[in-house]
């Protein structure tokens, strides 16, 4: 299934894509794509509904973030060896973990705002993992049982805030609009292998990132298990799993976003995002 949330910001309604790629309204069955809806049982109830029996949503409404109620937005740094190399960093012996504020979450096609005093706002296409069932001290073998599904993430980053202002990376990752999520939550049964997905990103029509999750240093199973050793993972939590090479910081010379730029990105089978950059 491809689950989604549509409508004005703050007033999103739950929906599902039908076989023809049209939005069908789920409001009569669930209040939102969140909480117990993300459990195996909750997803099974939705899967039993014939999308053709649901009200068709007319027009082209705004997509909101595809999951609600996110308590934690956990990011993994330097998780592609070729991306680490382009930034001059070494592959870490354990995953680098940092947090992105949940207030950064926006819809997949909402504008990206360059923060005030920003000089180095950058892009990162990433595979997002959405937790569906409480996870604590889980094994790698059982890790995917705790995943509801997957989504496209743009881990927008302000590099000067991140690396030149001292302290942790969080302040360079958490500005409003720095977490476009969606367009859909694709349930895990539709993703045969999360370690075999192509992902890409274009800036102003030029392809700058073109990679595959096969080159992740630490895969999805490992990351869910690893994180669950340090903190409980709850339904709606998002793990953003790192980016392949091609970010602005790694270019020669480095290239960063400016107002008026357009970004298009996607992951095989998970949909696309389109954003316009504006000055915040």
């Amino acid at each position: 299934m491809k689950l989604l949330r549509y409508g004005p910001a703050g007033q999103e309604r739950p929906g599902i894509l039908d076989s023809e790629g049209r939005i069908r309204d789920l409001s009569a069955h669930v209040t939102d794509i969140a909480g117990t809806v993300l459990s195996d049982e909750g997803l099974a109830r939705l899967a039993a509904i014939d999308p053709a029996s649901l009200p068709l949503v007319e027009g082209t409404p705004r997509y909101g973030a595809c999951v609600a109620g996110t308590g934690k937005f956990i990011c993994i740094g330097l998780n592609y060896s070729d991306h680490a190399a382009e930034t001059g960093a070494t592959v870490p012996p354990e995953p680098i973990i940092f947090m992105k504020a949940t207030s950064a979450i926006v819809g997949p096609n909402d504008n990206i705002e360059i923060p005030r005093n920003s000089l180095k706002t950058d892009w990162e296409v990433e595979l997002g993992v959405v937790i569906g069932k409480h996870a604590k001290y889980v094994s790698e073998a059982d890790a995917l049982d705790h995943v509801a599904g997957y989504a496209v993430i743009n881990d927008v980053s302000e590099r000067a805030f991140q690396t030149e202002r001292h302290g942790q990376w969080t302040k360079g990752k958490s500005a409003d609009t720095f977490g476009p999520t969606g367009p859909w939550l694709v349930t895990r049964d539709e993703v045969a292998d999360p370690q075999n997905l192509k992902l890409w990103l274009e800036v102003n029509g030029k392809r700058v990132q073109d990679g595959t999750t096969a080159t992740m240093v630490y895969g999805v199973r490992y990351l869910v298990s690893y994180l669950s050793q340090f903190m409980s993972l709850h339904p709606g939590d998002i793990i953003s799993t790192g980016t392949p090479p091609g970010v602005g910081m790694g270019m020669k010379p480095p290239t960063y976003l400016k107002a008026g730029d357009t970004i298009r990105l996607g992951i095989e089978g998970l949909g696309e995002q389109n954003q316009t950059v504006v000055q915040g």
Side-chain angles (χ1 to χ4, degrees):
M1 291 182 293
K2 293 180 174 66
L3 302 175
L4 56 98
R5 301 170 67 247
Y6 71 94
Q11 302 175 44
E12 291 92 348
R13 297 166 65 93
I16 187 172
L17 279 195
D18 66 17
S19 59
E20 297 182 32
R22 300 176 300 182
I23 300 174
R24 299 281 182 162
D25 185 80
L26 277 171
S27 297
H29 298 272
V30 294
T31 57
D32 213 337
I33 307 300
T36 56
V37 172
L38 301 170
S39 68
D40 286 350
E41 296 77 16
L43 294 175
R45 285 193 290 271
L46 294 184
I49 301 168
D50 179 6
S53 70
L54 299 170
L56 180 65
V57 178
E58 301 290 350
T60 55
R62 168 188 173 270
Y63 282 99
C66 59
V67 63
T70 297
K72 293 188 289 296
F73 198 147
I74 309 164
C75 300
I76 309 299
L78 304 176
N79 197 30
Y80 288 71
S81 57
D82 37 9
H83 169 59
E86 75 171 343
T87 62
T90 56
V91 174
E94 292 189 39
I96 291 176
I97 301 171
F98 61 92
M99 308 296 280
K100 183 185 284 282
T102 55
S103 54
I105 297 172
V106 290
N109 304 321
D110 291 346
N111 290 341
I112 289 174
E113 297 180 3
I114 297 177
R116 294 179 186 178
N117 304 310
S118 166
L119 299 173
K120 299 180 179 180
T121 297
D122 205 346
W123 57 82
E124 294 189 10
V125 58
E126 304 200 0
L127 172 66
V129 179
V130 178
I131 298 299
K133 181 172 68 173
H134 177 258
K136 185 175 183 179
Y137 301 126
V138 301
S139 67
E140 280 191 65
D142 295 333
L144 294 190
D145 294 341
H146 298 264
V147 173
Y150 304 92
V152 182
I153 302 286
N154 188 353
D155 176 21
V156 186
S157 310
E158 210 300 337
R159 302 303 188 185
F161 296 176
Q162 176 187 356
T163 63
E164 300 170 22
R165 297 285 295 272
H166 303 287
Q168 299 181 348
W169 289 5
T170 302
K171 62 178 174 280
K173 297 284 190 170
S174 295
D176 292 350
T177 76
F178 271 26
T181 302
W184 316 305
L185 169 63
V186 180
T187 51
R188 74 171 188 270
D189 59 296
E190 291 198 7
V191 180
D193 183 2
Q195 304 310 141
N196 188 30
L197 299 174
K198 295 177 181 178
L199 63 172
W200 52 270
L201 184 146
E202 297 173 354
V203 178
N204 297 328
K206 179 183 178 182
R207 183 69 57 98
V208 290
Q209 288 189 276
D210 204 350
T212 169
T213 58
T215 64
M216 277 187 191
V217 178
Y218 302 105
V220 172
R221 285 183 182 273
Y222 182 87
L223 290 173
V224 172
S225 174
Y226 181 84
L227 289 168
S228 78
Q229 311 305 309
F230 302 102
M231 66 190 84
S232 293
L233 303 175
H234 297 95
D237 285 352
I238 297 170
I239 305 169
S240 201
T241 56
T243 197
V247 300
M249 179 173 61
M251 293 182 172
K252 297 185 183 347
T255 302
Y256 297 108
L257 295 168
K258 61 185 183 302
D261 285 346
T262 59
I263 306 171
R264 180 171 170 258
L265 61 147
I267 301 178
E268 180 182 9
L270 304 187
E272 297 184 7
Q273 301 183 355
N274 290 271
Q275 293 122 20
T276 298
V277 180
V278 300
Q279 183 63 51

